[in-house]
Amino acid sequence: LPEGEVVLDLDNTVLPYLPTPDDVEQLAPKLAAIVATLPKANTVVVTTNVRNHPGKVAAAIAEAGLIFVAGARKPHPRRLLAATARPVAIVGDQPVTDGLLAWWLGVPFVLAPACSSRTPWWPRLMRVVGELVLRLFYRRATMAGDAP
C-alpha cells in the first residue's frame, strides 16, 4: 500500500454485528494485530455507520491508537473526509457501502470476509446483493473509463 490512511470498516469486518462482551474485550488486540500487518507509515481509520456503539468500543479503538469515525454515513465520503485525510484504501465487508465509498474516492477496495459466523440475515443478504450490483456497477464504470 502507498503511504496514507487505510479506512477499516468496524462492523462485521473486525467486530461482529452483535458483539458479546468478549468480542469487545478482544477488539484492541485484534486491531493492533491488523495494524501490525501494514507499513509503518499508514494510519488506520476505523469507521462504522452506527452512531451508538457502546463506549467500550470507542475506548478499545482509542487504546489501539486509531481514529474512530462513528456514524460515517458510508458510502457518502463527506463525513469521512471531514474527519481524516484522503485514504489510500478501504477495507470492509459490504460492497454497497465500503466498496462504493472506495469507488467514489478512487482508491482500492479490499472485500474482507465476515469476521463472525453470528452475522444476522440482513447483512448477509446485503452482501450478496451488493456483490452482484457492484460487479455491474464496476463493469459499467470501467467500460466508461470512470473507475478502475
Side-chain angles (χ1 to χ4, degrees):
L1 286 176
E3 188 174 315
E5 290 184 344
V6 175
V7 174
L8 178 63
D9 177 53
L10 177 65
D11 299 303
N12 212 36
T13 302
V14 180
L15 187 70
Y17 272 105
L18 305 171
T20 65
D22 286 341
D23 292 328
V24 175
E25 187 175 311
Q26 293 301 313
L27 182 57
K30 192 172 186 179
L31 288 168
I34 291 169
V35 170
T37 67
L38 299 172
K40 295 287 183 208
N42 282 324
T43 303
V44 176
V45 178
V46 179
T47 64
T48 179
N49 279 345
V50 177
R51 287 180 170 259
N52 58 348
H53 267 293
K56 289 183 178 183
V57 170
I61 293 167
E63 179 184 327
L66 308 178
I67 300 165
F68 184 41
V69 180
R73 296 182 182 169
K74 296 175 291 180
H76 196 281
R78 185 182 70 200
R79 191 166 168 117
L80 175 68
L81 292 176
T84 67
R86 187 168 177 82
V88 296
I90 309 288
V91 179
D93 70 305
Q94 290 294 344
V96 172
T97 55
D98 307 310
L100 191 53
L101 173 64
W103 184 83
W104 274 349
L105 293 172
V107 299
F109 170 56
V110 179
L111 183 60
C115 68
S116 171
S117 60
R118 301 187 320 261
T119 304
W121 67 269
W122 70 90
R124 288 186 306 204
L125 178 61
M126 188 172 141
R127 181 176 174 127
V128 169
V129 171
E131 286 177 354
L132 295 173
V133 170
L134 206 55
R135 279 189 200 139
L136 292 173
F137 186 69
Y138 266 99
R139 182 175 294 141
R140 279 196 190 137
T142 303
M143 287 171 53
D146 293 337

